[in-house]
Amino acid sequence: MPTLSPELLKLVKSSKNKHSRAGKSVSIGEGKTTIRVLAKPDGSQFWEDLGVHWIKTEVNGKPVAVVGCHDEVHGQPCPICTAIAKATEAATSDEEIKLIKEWKASKTVIVNALVRSGTNKSDEPQIVELKSSVWGQISGMIAEYMEADKDLLDLKEGQDFVVERRGRGIDTKYTVMLAPRSQPVDESVLEGMHDLKAWIESQFFRGEETKALTAIAQVTGITVGTGARLAAPARSALLTKPAAVVEDAEVEEVAEALVEAESETVVEEAVVEETKAETDEERELREFREFKAAQAAKKAEADKAAAAANADAVKKAAAAKLAAEKKETAEFAAKKKAAAESTVSKDAFNADLPADEIDSLLADLDS
């Protein structure tokens, strides 16, 4: 019976891991899932930020393009983000605004990890996709324990994390805790770790930017661009009618329409480009910065409005307090006047009497 050497067996396992799971990641399911986060042996960054635009032509519909966010992943101007900002400004209905919100990048963090429990349980490293709130809790624990000279990522002395998911949709909540007991990890497991950067590039940066921008332009009627300028025609009933779904072939038809529309204005565009002397890369950078500045301005305006509302509330509270004090003062003055005019002598009222006797006199007057 043929046998494999330990070295060859490791290669076989590594190859199996690479090719069987190269195209997918796993996420945290409902209930409790125990994972062991794996760090790189060289001590370098062991996680990657991921942002993905899911471009659809109807709310909750089928995506026609799935594109990584250049801003979240590469820290560079993102043409999809710029197009979404323009589409938001041009939106004319609640339905459009709701659809545009679904285009914004969904942000997660991916790590290499052993899934110890649940449907994705495996003894081999898997790419685990974590919500931002989950990663925030895990990274916070790692940093806190590191300051106390305890390495939660150590293969032998480290610990597993238990992630609990409760609820669904917008009501989904995640909590993270350390597992009460953790099994050590064999050093050979690290040989099966995935190249996270390469995985992101292969899954979400496959050149679908033009398809995504074409769909956005066709739905909203805005002008968008990537490396080459794209001039969008008027909104198409194909994408704005109810329950419309654009398949790949239909997107190609839209692209052809865009090229035809652009050819009709090529002379005018050339004059504009020559006058501006602005490259596509410079334009995208400018539009991205304008988008960020607009966001900051909106936030500042909202903060200003909130501060004004708070100041108004403080003024109203102060006015109410002053009115109450004036009312109490008037009541006391009336009682004092009544006491002076009654059979009780003015001297007796003004005498240094105990408070309870004064109250008794005033009570008699009221009766």
Side-chain angles (χ1 to χ4, degrees):
M1 183 176 181
T3 59
L4 298 177
S5 66
E7 292 77 13
L8 186 55
L9 181 59
K10 287 182 180 180
L11 290 175
V12 171
K13 287 184 176 180
S14 177
S15 178
K16 172 182 178 294
N17 179 68
K18 176 181 177 182
H19 293 287
S20 62
R21 293 192 176 274
K24 74 175 193 176
S25 62
V26 299
S27 56
I28 302 299
E30 195 169 357
K32 293 183 178 180
T33 303
T34 302
I35 64 173
R36 181 62 166 265
V37 177
L38 302 175
K40 293 182 179 180
D42 61 4
S44 59
Q45 181 175 322
F46 56 90
W47 73 94
E48 292 295 336
D49 295 322
L50 177 60
V52 180
H53 295 286
W54 301 82
I55 306 302
K56 310 169 185 178
T57 58
E58 62 177 342
V59 176
N60 299 322
K62 175 184 175 182
V64 297
V66 179
V67 184
C69 178
H70 288 273
D71 181 25
E72 289 295 324
V73 177
H74 302 137
Q76 299 174 355
C78 178
I80 309 299
C81 287
T82 301
I84 291 173
K86 287 186 176 182
T88 302
E89 295 176 356
T92 58
S93 68
D94 292 339
E95 189 71 10
E96 281 188 346
I97 293 174
K98 189 174 181 180
L99 174 60
I100 292 168
K101 285 183 177 179
E102 292 191 2
W103 294 344
K104 293 184 177 180
S106 59
K107 303 172 185 178
T108 56
V109 173
I110 59 172
V111 296
N112 279 285
L114 298 179
V115 181
R116 306 280 207 183
S117 64
T119 56
N120 294 309
K121 181 179 180 180
S122 176
D123 294 329
E124 299 176 354
Q126 299 184 72
I127 297 176
V128 178
E129 193 168 351
L130 304 170
K131 295 295 185 181
S132 297
S133 61
V134 175
W135 175 243
Q137 295 178 66
I138 291 177
S139 59
M141 290 181 183
I142 293 173
E144 182 179 356
Y145 276 76
M146 190 69 72
E147 292 177 354
D149 295 326
K150 180 174 177 58
D151 185 3
L152 295 181
L153 303 177
D154 185 80
L155 295 179
K156 294 183 179 180
E157 303 297 330
Q159 289 185 250
D160 297 346
F161 295 94
V162 179
V163 184
E164 183 177 10
R165 173 182 171 181
R166 293 172 294 173
R168 295 186 178 182
I170 61 175
D171 296 323
T172 303
K173 305 292 183 184
Y174 293 91
T175 56
V176 181
M177 65 189 77
L178 293 175
R181 288 186 297 273
S182 302
Q183 295 294 324
V185 178
D186 190 278
E187 190 174 350
S188 62
V189 169
L190 301 182
E191 297 175 6
M193 290 177 63
H194 302 266
D195 184 334
L196 300 180
K197 287 183 180 292
W199 182 82
I200 290 176
E201 294 299 320
S202 67
Q203 296 297 308
F204 303 108
F205 294 93
R206 299 174 295 185
E208 291 195 3
E209 284 83 357
T210 299
K211 182 186 290 187
L213 292 170
T214 299
I216 292 174
Q218 193 68 17
V219 169
T220 63
I222 65 169
T223 301
V224 295
T226 53
R229 292 183 65 86
L230 290 175
R235 299 168 188 246
S236 168
L238 176 66
L239 300 184
T240 55
K241 67 182 181 182
V245 177
V246 179
E247 302 296 344
D248 287 348
E250 293 170 330
V251 171
E252 293 301 326
E253 292 178 4
V254 173
E256 291 176 5
L258 289 172
V259 173
E260 182 178 353
E262 184 178 21
S263 65
E264 296 174 359
T265 58
V266 64
V267 176
E268 180 182 353
E269 292 236 349
V271 173
V272 172
E273 288 296 319
E274 183 178 355
T275 302
K276 291 183 178 180
E278 183 181 46
T279 65
D280 291 325
E281 183 178 354
E282 290 171 340
R283 176 182 51 74
E284 289 178 0
L285 179 59
R286 172 179 54 76
E287 291 177 345
F288 179 74
R289 287 173 175 171
E290 290 173 352
F291 164 59
K292 289 290 188 181
Q295 282 188 322
K298 288 181 180 179
K299 184 179 184 302
E301 190 65 26
D303 292 343
K304 183 178 179 181
N310 183 58
D312 186 56
V314 171
K315 288 182 180 179
K316 288 182 179 179
K321 182 178 179 182
L322 181 60
E325 289 177 347
K326 287 182 177 180
K327 181 180 178 182
E328 291 177 359
T329 301
E331 291 175 350
F332 179 77
K335 288 183 178 181
K336 184 174 181 180
K337 181 178 180 182
E341 295 173 352
S342 69
T343 55
V344 180
S345 70
K346 191 172 184 179
D347 292 338
F349 184 85
N350 291 325
D352 188 17
L353 296 176
D356 57 345
E357 291 186 26
I358 293 176
D359 291 340
S360 177
L361 289 172
L362 293 175
D364 291 339
L365 292 173
D366 290 337
S367 64

